[in-house]
């Protein structure tokens, strides 16, 4: 199989949908010699903020001289970025080699067990563990969870530290309909005697996680309790224990990014105090300040101003609206929106309506994409404008500011298809 054949085989697993549970992962990893047991991994979960937190951790560790593997999802510009080494996507040849090793194991499982066919996410996760655990060892692997934690494909290794970036009402059909339900699922990231760094705003979820961490005897460090972020316009001051780091100015905009960075800093300090890393604090801050993350408040065109952001639930839409208002000082912008099924679209559209001059609705080529007519029916207090050809719309846009948002999968397709130089 060549690279395109390998990608086709991986993506064909999409038709098997989402299958909660780790039995298939455990079976395949056992057949491959348990490569997941060979990594020093940091497990990062949460409703929002996972990708940015991974990026801050990776940048700081690399700047301090460490070899770092990362596993993130979904991809924005190239499939290979899901498995990256020191911030660079692995090569096409690596993907081909990994598929050649994992495909026979997956087919054996399908033929000889009751577990059925592995999903796309399970295949990619297995490839990642195999690569960093057996083929290309690194100092640390930062593993971003997929959907939830308890039944997520990534929840099959013993991390040296865990991070929970947030709890929000997302994937409620699978994780539960309340903050407490979702906290009980994502709280499974907490492992016995393993440091746990977290940010949770809702009281019931916070109480559950705090008590569960204590039950697991996991040293727990909570934002706004053990960790403080003092915001000062574009900068912030970080405080934890006896540490105080002032005048941190991130490239990534938004108050939520300051909190994500604070979680990453805390994780690194905890590792430093445990003797797991040597840490030059100046290099750490410099690296974090320079981090950018594709598809998050990303300016893709200056005139007219175009911003893309993969805000895909209520909390991330709130963060986007706040950032547009507070950093760009825009009261009214045009919105181009598309989303996948299962999202709280009504509330997302209502929140975007706070800053929208016009809301344009479109759809895109993804098996879970929601038709634009169904999205538009969710709008209550305004009439959206339906767009059949969003590529033509964006390339010929003549307004002042266009914000493109609604789904990371949509953002990925926009980045691939739209010529922002047009």
């Amino acid at each position: 199989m060549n690279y395109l054949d390998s990608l086709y085989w991986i993506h064909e697993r999409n038709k098997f949908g989402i299958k909660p549970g780790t039995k298939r992962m455990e079976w395949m990893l056992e057949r491959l010699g348990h490569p997941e047991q060979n990594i020093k991994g940091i497990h990062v979960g949460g409703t929002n903020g996972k990708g940015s937190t991974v990026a801050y951790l990776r940048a700081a560790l690399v700047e301090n001289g460490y070899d770092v593997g990362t596993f993130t999802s979904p991809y924005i510009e190239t499939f290979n970025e899901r498995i990256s080494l020191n911030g660079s996507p692995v090569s096409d040849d690596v993907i081909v080699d990994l598929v050649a090793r994992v495909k026979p194991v997956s087919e054996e499982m399908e033929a000889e067990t009751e577990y059925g066919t592995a999903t796309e996410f399970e295949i990619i996760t297995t490839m990642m563990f195999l690569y960093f655990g057996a083929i290309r060892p690194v100092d640390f692997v930062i593993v971003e969870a997929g959907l939830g934690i308890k039944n997520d494909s990534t929840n099959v290794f013993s991390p040296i530290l865990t991070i929970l970036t947030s709890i929000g009402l997302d994937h409620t059909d699978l994780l539960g309909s309340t903050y407490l339900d979702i906290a009980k699922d994502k709280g499974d990231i907490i492992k016995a005697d393993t440091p746990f760094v977290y940010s949770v705003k809702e009281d019931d979820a916070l109480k559950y996680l705090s008590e569960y961490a204590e039950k697991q005897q996991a040293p727990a460090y909570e934002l706004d309790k053990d960790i403080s972020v003092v915001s000062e316009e574009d900068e912030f001051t970080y405080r934890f224990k006896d540490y105080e780091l002032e005048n941190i100015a991130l490239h990534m905009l938004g108050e939520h990014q300051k909190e994500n960075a604070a979680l990453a800093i805390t994780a690194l300090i905890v590792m430093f105090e445990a003797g797991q890393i040597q840490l030059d604090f100046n290099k750490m801050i410099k690296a974090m300040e320079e981090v950018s993350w594709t598809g998050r408040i990303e300016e893709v065109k200056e005139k007219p101003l175009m911003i893309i952001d993969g805000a895909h639930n209520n909390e991330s839409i709130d963060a986007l609206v706040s950032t547009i208002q507070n950093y760009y000082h825009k009261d009214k912008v045009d919105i181009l929106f598309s989303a996948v099924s299962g999202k709280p679209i009504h509330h997302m559209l209502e929140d975007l309506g706070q800053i929208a001059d016009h809301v344009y609705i479109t759809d895109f080529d993804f098996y879970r994409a929601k038709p634009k007519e169904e999205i538009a029916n969710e709008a209550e207090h305004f009439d959206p404008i339906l767009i059949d050809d969003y590529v033509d719309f964006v390339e010929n846009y003549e307004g002042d500011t266009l914000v493109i948002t609604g789904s990371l999968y949509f953002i990925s397709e926009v980045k691939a298809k739209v010529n922002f130089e047009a």
Side-chain angles (χ1 to χ4, degrees):
M1 296 175 72
N2 60 26
Y3 177 68
L4 291 180
D5 292 334
S6 299
L7 284 191
Y8 177 80
W9 180 77
I10 293 170
H11 293 322
E12 194 182 25
R13 311 298 97 193
N14 261 331
K15 66 186 179 186
F16 300 109
I18 298 169
K19 297 180 178 180
T22 60
K23 293 294 185 183
R24 288 172 298 279
M25 285 295 303
E26 291 163 355
W27 194 94
M28 290 189 291
L29 290 168
E30 181 181 10
R31 282 295 189 276
L32 292 165
H34 283 299
E36 80 285 1
Q37 295 179 2
N38 299 331
I39 69 168
K40 288 184 179 178
I42 301 167
H43 204 184
V44 181
T47 305
N48 298 302
K50 298 188 296 290
S52 302
T53 304
V54 168
Y56 291 129
L57 284 168
R58 183 261 305 156
L61 285 168
V62 170
E63 187 69 19
N64 274 274
Y66 292 98
D67 239 7
V68 181
T70 51
F71 179 66
T72 57
S73 61
Y75 71 90
I76 302 297
E77 294 180 333
T78 173
F79 174 84
N80 300 24
E81 72 193 46
R82 299 187 71 166
I83 303 173
S84 292
L85 177 63
N86 296 330
S88 297
V90 297
S91 69
D92 294 353
D93 289 342
V94 166
I95 297 295
V96 172
D97 179 53
L98 289 170
V99 168
R101 296 169 187 251
V102 172
K103 183 173 182 284
V105 175
S106 171
E107 291 172 344
E108 181 187 359
M109 179 177 69
E110 183 177 0
E112 297 183 8
T113 77
E114 73 279 11
Y115 297 139
T117 307
T119 66
E120 179 187 49
F121 191 73
E122 289 170 337
I123 292 295
I124 301 166
T125 309
T126 302
M127 289 166 56
M128 176 273 298
F129 281 126
L130 179 62
Y131 186 60
F132 293 125
I135 297 171
R136 177 57 171 87
V138 292
D139 296 313
F140 300 100
V141 184
I142 309 170
V143 178
E144 177 188 332
L147 200 162
I149 296 293
K150 184 173 293 183
N151 294 302
D152 187 66
S153 303
T154 63
N155 196 28
V156 292
F157 74 108
S158 298
I160 62 170
L161 183 143
T162 65
I163 301 174
L164 191 61
T165 57
S166 61
I167 294 288
L169 297 178
D170 198 6
H171 300 294
T172 53
D173 53 331
L174 294 171
L175 303 182
S177 59
T178 69
Y179 287 102
L180 181 57
D181 289 337
I182 294 174
K184 288 179 178 178
D185 184 288
K186 293 184 186 290
D188 206 56
I189 200 170
I190 303 170
K191 300 297 188 287
D193 304 311
T194 303
F196 172 54
V197 180
Y198 65 116
S199 171
V200 175
K201 309 295 185 184
E202 203 278 330
D203 288 343
D204 287 345
L206 190 61
K207 182 175 184 292
Y208 172 81
L209 292 168
S210 176
E211 291 177 351
Y212 186 61
E214 185 175 355
K215 181 180 177 182
Q216 291 286 76
Q217 296 184 321
Y221 307 99
E222 177 190 329
L223 186 72
D224 295 333
K225 178 184 174 185
D226 306 293
I227 311 157
S228 70
V229 172
V230 181
S231 188
E232 301 147 2
E233 295 185 355
D234 294 342
E235 300 180 344
F236 72 98
T237 296
Y238 165 91
R239 297 191 181 103
F240 172 63
K241 296 185 176 180
D242 294 329
Y243 300 92
E244 181 171 276
L245 306 174
E246 298 180 310
N247 306 123
I248 303 173
L250 302 174
H251 175 77
M252 295 180 70
L253 300 178
E255 294 302 305
H256 58 299
Q257 291 299 348
K258 297 173 183 178
E259 296 185 350
N260 294 337
L263 296 178
I265 293 170
T266 305
L268 292 165
I269 290 175
V270 170
M271 292 169 66
F272 169 70
E273 290 188 335
Q276 294 169 318
I277 56 172
Q278 296 297 313
L279 189 63
D280 183 317
F281 280 64
N282 290 327
K283 288 182 178 179
M284 173 181 70
I285 297 303
K286 173 180 178 292
M288 288 189 178
E289 288 182 331
E290 294 174 354
V291 164
S292 60
W293 195 238
T294 301
R296 275 71 166 187
I297 314 290
E298 180 183 0
E299 294 181 30
V300 290
K301 191 168 185 176
E302 186 177 355
K303 291 185 179 180
L305 177 61
M306 293 188 184
I307 297 166
I308 64 174
D309 186 76
H312 55 283
N313 52 45
N314 291 342
E315 290 80 8
S316 54
I317 288 288
D318 288 344
L320 170 61
V321 169
S322 174
T323 303
I324 294 298
Q325 291 174 326
N326 296 332
Y327 288 84
Y328 289 93
H329 307 293
K330 299 280 187 180
D331 292 324
K332 291 295 180 182
V333 300
D334 291 329
I335 303 289
L336 177 63
F337 182 88
S338 194
V340 298
S341 298
K343 295 293 181 177
I345 290 173
H346 171 77
H347 295 289
M348 294 167 71
L349 290 175
E350 290 300 302
D351 288 345
L352 287 170
Q354 300 174 44
I355 58 169
D357 195 6
H358 302 93
V359 176
Y360 299 92
I361 306 292
T362 192
D363 38 31
F364 64 107
D365 185 20
F366 184 62
Y367 76 105
R368 288 173 50 214
K370 196 173 184 70
K372 58 183 176 294
E373 294 81 7
E374 294 182 18
I375 295 175
N377 288 338
E378 298 276 354
E380 184 175 349
H381 295 107
F382 58 86
D383 294 318
I385 303 166
L386 299 185
I387 300 294
D388 293 324
D389 185 345
Y390 74 79
V391 174
D392 179 73
F393 170 77
V394 173
E395 291 181 351
N396 292 284
Y397 175 75
E398 295 181 347
D400 176 70
T401 303
L402 179 66
V403 177
I404 305 168
T405 190
S407 165
L408 282 166
Y409 296 100
F410 176 46
I411 294 308
S412 177
E413 187 175 293
V414 169
K415 296 270 289 186
K417 291 187 174 181
V418 173
N419 177 12
F420 288 102
E421 302 300 321

